[in-house]
Amino acid sequence: MNYVIDPPRQPAVAVLGAAAKFPVRRIFCVGRNYADHVREMGNDPKSEPPIFFTKPADAVVGDGGAIPYAVNTSNLHFEVELVLALGKGGAEIAPEQALEHVWGYAVGVDLTRRDRQAEAKKGGAPWDAAKAFDNSAPIGAITPVANGSHLSAGRIWLTVNGETKQEADLSDMIWSASEIIAHLSRSWTLQPGDLVFTGTPAGVGPLGPGDTVECGVEGLAPLRFTIAAR
């Protein structure tokens, strides 16, 4: 096929132990998916359905990258998350079959313009400026699912300049991976190449130029990146 301009490059993520990469179609993200603060306030963690937002596929940044401090913010925050890499699509997926759609897992960080998010919340506006910006989805190498073994528990953590900022267990998630996929597939037809960021535990905070972020999920390849000047 001929195009009037050069087609954009295909965003892709490294696969652990392989030369071939995982092509990225779309990035879905889940908001407020760890129960610590919700239960602390005496509320039912599942009193409301999960909240979803998206990022562009070309927001991905691989392990070891230097990410320029984002424009249009003075309050850039980190949010470590388990990421699902889908190898099979579908709509109206039953929770019991949802994990069959997961090709692999990775650790990722949902970088957030917290000041823009606060403005959006106050004004009832979409979160695009807060979440869907350039280089906002650093992600480590994807570990393929081995012999049907899926992640439902294990340590998730993040450090900034060697200081632990976030630490929790995947079992603390309000909505499990299978429930997230099922909910997503009611609003979108999921496709191979979709990534799903599954939410972050407590402890999010700001980053500045010169900061080094290291993070991981038990059993997966770690992720490391630095924040550079604009």
Coordinates of all heavy atoms in Angstrom, one line a residue, residues 32-45 156 165-169 171-174 199-204:
R32 N -7.1 3.7 40.4 CA -7.5 3.4 41.8 C -7.8 1.9 41.9 O -9.0 1.4 42.1 CB -8.8 4.2 42.2 CG -8.5 5.7 42.2 CD -9.5 6.4 43.1 NE -10.9 6.2 42.6 CZ -11.6 7.1 41.9 NH1 -11.0 8.2 41.4 NH2 -12.9 6.8 41.6
N33 N -6.8 1.0 41.9 CA -7.0 -0.4 41.9 C -6.3 -1.1 43.1 O -6.1 -2.3 43.0 CB -6.6 -1.1 40.6 CG -7.1 -2.5 40.5 OD1 -8.2 -2.8 40.9 ND2 -6.4 -3.3 39.8
Y34 N -5.8 -0.4 44.1 CA -5.2 -1.0 45.3 C -6.0 -0.6 46.5 O -6.4 0.5 46.6 CB -3.7 -0.6 45.4 CG -2.8 -1.5 44.6 CD1 -2.7 -1.3 43.2 CD2 -2.1 -2.6 45.1 CE1 -1.9 -2.1 42.4 CE2 -1.3 -3.4 44.3 CZ -1.2 -3.1 43.0 OH -0.4 -3.9 42.2
A35 N -6.3 -1.6 47.3 CA -7.3 -1.4 48.4 C -6.9 -0.7 49.6 O -7.8 -0.3 50.4 CB -7.8 -2.8 48.7
D36 N -5.6 -0.4 49.8 CA -5.1 0.1 51.1 C -5.9 1.4 51.5 O -6.4 1.4 52.6 CB -3.6 0.3 51.1 CG -3.1 1.0 49.8 OD1 -3.9 1.4 49.0 OD2 -1.9 1.1 49.7
H37 N -5.9 2.4 50.7 CA -6.5 3.6 51.1 C -8.0 3.5 51.1 O -8.7 4.1 51.9 CB -6.1 4.8 50.1 CG -4.7 5.2 50.4 ND1 -4.1 5.4 51.6 CD2 -3.7 5.5 49.5 CE1 -2.9 5.8 51.5 NE2 -2.6 5.9 50.2
V38 N -8.6 2.7 50.2 CA -10.0 2.6 50.1 C -10.6 1.9 51.4 O -11.5 2.4 52.0 CB -10.4 1.7 48.9 CG1 -12.0 1.6 48.8 CG2 -9.9 2.4 47.6
R39 N -9.9 0.8 51.8 CA -10.4 0.2 53.1 C -10.1 1.0 54.3 O -10.8 1.0 55.3 CB -9.6 -1.2 53.2 CG -10.1 -2.2 52.2 CD -9.7 -3.6 52.6 NE -10.1 -4.6 51.6 CZ -9.3 -5.2 50.8 NH1 -8.0 -5.0 50.8 NH2 -9.8 -6.1 50.0
E40 N -9.0 1.8 54.2 CA -8.6 2.6 55.4 C -9.7 3.7 55.6 O -9.9 4.1 56.8 CB -7.3 3.3 55.0 CG -6.6 4.1 56.1 CD -5.2 4.6 55.7 OE1 -5.2 5.3 54.7 OE2 -4.2 4.2 56.3
M41 N -10.4 4.1 54.6 CA -11.4 5.1 54.7 C -12.8 4.4 55.1 O -13.8 5.1 55.2 CB -11.6 5.9 53.4 CG -10.3 6.7 53.1 SD -9.9 7.8 54.4 CE -11.2 9.0 54.3
G42 N -12.8 3.1 55.3 CA -14.0 2.4 55.6 C -15.0 2.1 54.5 O -16.2 1.9 54.7
N43 N -14.5 2.2 53.3 CA -15.3 2.0 52.1 C -15.1 0.6 51.5 O -14.1 0.0 51.7 CB -15.1 3.1 51.0 CG -15.4 4.4 51.5 OD1 -16.4 4.6 52.2 ND2 -14.5 5.4 51.2
D44 N -16.1 0.2 50.7 CA -16.0 -1.1 50.0 C -15.2 -0.9 48.8 O -15.6 -0.1 47.9 CB -17.4 -1.6 49.6 CG -17.4 -2.9 48.9 OD1 -16.3 -3.4 48.6 OD2 -18.5 -3.3 48.5
P45 N -14.0 -1.6 48.6 CA -13.2 -1.4 47.4 C -13.9 -1.6 46.1 O -13.5 -1.1 45.1 CB -12.1 -2.4 47.7 CG -12.0 -2.6 49.1 CD -13.4 -2.5 49.6
I156 N 5.4 -5.9 44.5 CA 5.6 -4.9 43.5 C 6.2 -3.7 44.2 O 5.8 -3.4 45.3 CB 4.2 -4.5 42.8 CG1 4.4 -3.4 41.8 CG2 3.2 -4.2 43.8 CD1 3.2 -3.1 40.9
K165 N 9.9 3.9 47.6 CA 8.7 4.8 47.6 C 7.4 4.1 47.5 O 6.4 4.5 48.2 CB 8.8 5.8 46.4 CG 10.0 6.7 46.3 CD 10.0 7.7 47.5 CE 11.1 8.7 47.4 NZ 11.1 9.7 48.4
Q166 N 7.4 3.0 46.8 CA 6.2 2.1 46.7 C 6.5 0.7 47.0 O 7.5 0.2 46.4 CB 5.5 2.3 45.3 CG 4.9 3.6 45.0 CD 4.2 3.7 43.7 OE1 4.9 3.9 42.7 NE2 2.9 3.4 43.7
E167 N 5.7 0.0 47.7 CA 5.9 -1.4 48.0 C 4.6 -2.0 48.4 O 3.9 -1.6 49.3 CB 7.0 -1.6 49.1 CG 7.4 -3.1 49.2 CD 8.6 -3.3 50.1 OE1 8.9 -2.4 50.9 OE2 9.2 -4.3 50.0
A168 N 4.2 -3.1 47.7 CA 2.9 -3.7 48.0 C 2.9 -5.1 47.4 O 4.0 -5.6 47.0 CB 1.7 -2.9 47.4
D169 N 1.8 -5.8 47.4 CA 1.7 -7.1 46.8 C 0.5 -7.1 45.8 O -0.5 -6.4 46.0 CB 1.4 -8.2 47.9 CG 1.6 -9.6 47.4 OD1 0.7 -10.1 46.8 OD2 2.7 -10.1 47.7
S171 N -1.6 -9.2 45.3 CA -2.8 -9.7 45.9 C -3.7 -8.6 46.5 O -4.9 -8.8 46.8 CB -2.5 -10.7 46.9 OG -1.8 -10.2 48.0
D172 N -3.1 -7.4 46.6 CA -3.8 -6.2 47.2 C -4.7 -5.5 46.1 O -5.5 -4.6 46.5 CB -2.9 -5.2 47.8 CG -2.1 -5.7 48.9 OD1 -2.6 -6.6 49.6 OD2 -0.9 -5.2 49.2
M173 N -4.6 -5.9 44.9 CA -5.4 -5.3 43.8 C -6.9 -5.5 44.1 O -7.3 -6.6 44.4 CB -5.0 -5.8 42.4 CG -3.7 -5.3 42.0 SD -3.4 -5.5 40.2 CE -3.6 -7.2 39.9
I174 N -7.7 -4.5 43.9 CA -9.1 -4.6 44.1 C -9.7 -5.5 42.9 O -10.5 -6.4 43.2 CB -9.8 -3.2 44.1 CG1 -9.3 -2.4 45.2 CG2 -11.3 -3.3 44.1 CD1 -9.6 -0.9 45.2
G199 N -3.0 -0.5 37.5 CA -3.2 0.3 38.7 C -1.9 0.3 39.6 O -1.1 -0.6 39.5
T200 N -1.9 1.3 40.5 CA -0.7 1.4 41.3 C -1.0 1.4 42.8 O -2.1 1.8 43.2 CB 0.0 2.8 40.9 OG1 1.3 2.8 41.5 CG2 -0.8 4.0 41.5
P201 N -0.1 0.9 43.6 CA -0.3 1.0 45.1 C 0.0 2.4 45.6 O 0.4 3.3 44.9 CB 0.7 -0.1 45.6 CG 1.7 -0.1 44.6 CD 1.1 0.2 43.3
A202 N -0.2 2.5 46.9 CA 0.1 3.8 47.6 C 1.6 4.2 47.5 O 2.4 3.3 47.3 CB -0.3 3.7 49.1
G203 N 1.8 5.5 47.7 CA 3.2 5.9 47.7 C 3.7 6.7 46.5 O 4.8 7.0 46.4
V204 N 2.8 7.1 45.6 CA 3.2 7.8 44.4 C 3.7 9.2 44.9 O 3.4 9.7 45.9 CB 2.0 8.0 43.5 CG1 1.4 6.7 43.0 CG2 0.9 8.8 44.1

